[in-house]
């Protein structure tokens, strides 16, 4: 199903003459959605950004910039896989969703 969705997206984007794609790392943000700030709908975990971007690059022939949130206990392994397994050369690391709360993984300064 993921391949079908990716192929459909790549085919639709051809009409736009795109040079490449940005693939975001979608994360739950509990530090930003507690108390009075309830989510309007429940969070649904999606496919990891690295393998999806690799599939999109292969399907479309266009490069992808892959975003990754550093709030990941397995960040070093993710970076290794993104580079060696998925052949990504453009990765943008983004900070945690909030300074509040306890998140796994390093901080941006680390």
């Amino acid at each position: 199903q993921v391949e079908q969705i990716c192929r459909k997206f790549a085919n639709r984007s051809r009409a736009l003459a795109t040079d490449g794609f940005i693939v975001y790392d979608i994360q739950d943000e509990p530090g930003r959605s507690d108390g009075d700030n309830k989510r309007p709908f429940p969070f649904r975990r999606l496919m990891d950004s690295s393998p999806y971007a690799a599939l999109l690059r292969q399907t479309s022939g266009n490069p992808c910039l892959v975003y990754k949130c550093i709030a990941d206990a397995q960040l070093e392994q993710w970076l290794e896989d993104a580079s060696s397994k998925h052949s990504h050369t453009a990765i943008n690391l983004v900070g945690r969703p909030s300074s509040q709360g306890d998140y796994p993984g390093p901080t941006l300064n680390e």
Side-chain angles (χ1 to χ4, degrees), residues 41-107:
F41 49 86
F43 176 74
R44 186 175 136 221
R45 181 153 302 284
L46 302 173
M47 184 176 179
D48 184 79
S49 57
S50 182
Y52 183 77
L55 180 60
L56 183 57
R57 183 184 65 238
Q58 178 185 3
T59 303
S60 69
N62 288 332
C64 292
L65 169 60
V66 185
Y67 274 60
K68 176 64 178 168
C69 179
I70 62 166
D72 184 342
Q74 303 298 319
L75 181 63
E76 286 187 38
Q77 184 63 53
W78 186 94
L79 290 168
E80 176 64 31
D81 289 347
S83 175
S84 63
K85 193 174 176 183
H86 300 127
S87 304
H88 295 304
T89 58
I91 297 171
N92 186 35
L93 298 176
V94 295
R96 299 169 176 173
S98 171
S99 61
Q100 307 299 313
D102 191 22
Y103 295 98
T107 65

Side-chain angles (χ1 to χ4, degrees), residues 1-9 44 47 52 55 59:
Q1 184 181 12
V2 172
E3 284 129 357
Q4 181 183 10
I5 292 168
C6 192
R7 193 170 38 255
K8 193 175 195 179
F9 176 77
R44 186 175 136 221
M47 184 176 179
Y52 183 77
L55 180 60
T59 303

